[in-house]
């Protein structure tokens, strides 16, 4: 089944397939996100363009998958997954253009 979900400036386009008691979700997350630079703490817009693969399973899950990120949910909720992905991107090591080439005090 083709699926599309948008939250603010971030969009997911992909597909889901039910396989027994779990779902396989493949797609792409695109858009722009306001993030904070880890060096100067100023906010800036980060372009997002990521391929994602999720295996949605009911908890507790004790397996492993090399190809898919495992997400435990009682009920398949793409909006919750996308919001979590957005928060993860905000907490990433984001560096603005001004700080990319600056030398900062380094401890040796």
């Amino acid at each position: 089944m083709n699926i599309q979900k948008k939250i603010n400036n971030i969009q997911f386009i992909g597909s889901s397939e039910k396989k027994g008691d779990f779902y396989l979700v493949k797609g792409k997350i695109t858009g722009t996100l306001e993030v904070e630079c880890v060096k100067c703490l100023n906010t800036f817009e980060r372009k997002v363009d990521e391929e994602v693969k999720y295996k949605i399973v009911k908890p507790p899950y004790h397996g492993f998958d090399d190809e898919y990120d495992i997400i435990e949910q009682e009920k398949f909720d793409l909006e919750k997954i996308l919001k979590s992905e957005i928060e993860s991107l905000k907490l990433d090591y984001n560096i603005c253009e001004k700080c990319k080439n600056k030398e900062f005090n380094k401890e040796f």
Side-chain angles (χ1 to χ4, degrees):
M1 169 173 61
N2 290 332
I3 48 179
Q4 199 170 354
K5 186 73 176 174
K6 187 171 184 176
I7 298 178
N8 299 326
N9 294 329
I10 299 294
Q11 179 171 322
F12 172 85
I13 297 175
S15 63
S16 69
E17 181 181 356
K18 186 159 175 56
K19 295 272 197 173
D21 60 346
F22 62 89
Y23 288 89
L24 295 179
V25 179
K26 297 178 186 178
K28 193 170 198 175
I29 297 174
T30 58
T32 57
L33 186 62
E34 189 170 287
V35 296
E36 187 176 87
C37 176
V38 295
K39 291 186 177 182
C40 69
L41 304 180
N42 289 326
T43 58
F44 68 98
E45 293 243 324
R46 173 184 170 177
K47 189 174 186 120
V48 178
D49 187 11
E50 295 187 11
E51 298 282 337
V52 293
K53 290 183 174 182
Y54 305 120
K55 185 176 186 178
I56 315 300
V57 299
K58 290 190 182 236
Y61 182 75
H62 303 291
F64 180 80
D65 197 304
D66 285 332
E67 191 176 348
Y68 291 84
D69 291 333
I70 305 295
I71 297 179
E72 292 184 56
Q73 288 185 335
E74 284 295 330
K75 184 179 177 190
F76 176 35
D77 185 349
L78 183 60
E79 184 168 337
K80 188 175 182 179
I81 294 168
L82 194 52
K83 284 180 179 179
S84 177
E85 201 62 50
I86 289 168
E87 287 307 309
S88 178
L89 290 167
K90 285 181 179 179
L91 295 172
D92 201 2
Y93 193 78
N94 297 299
I95 300 175
C96 70
E97 287 298 319
K98 287 190 276 184
C99 293
K100 275 186 181 175
N101 297 321
K102 276 188 180 176
E103 278 288 323
F104 284 89
N105 292 336
K106 294 182 181 177
E107 193 172 314
F108 293 96

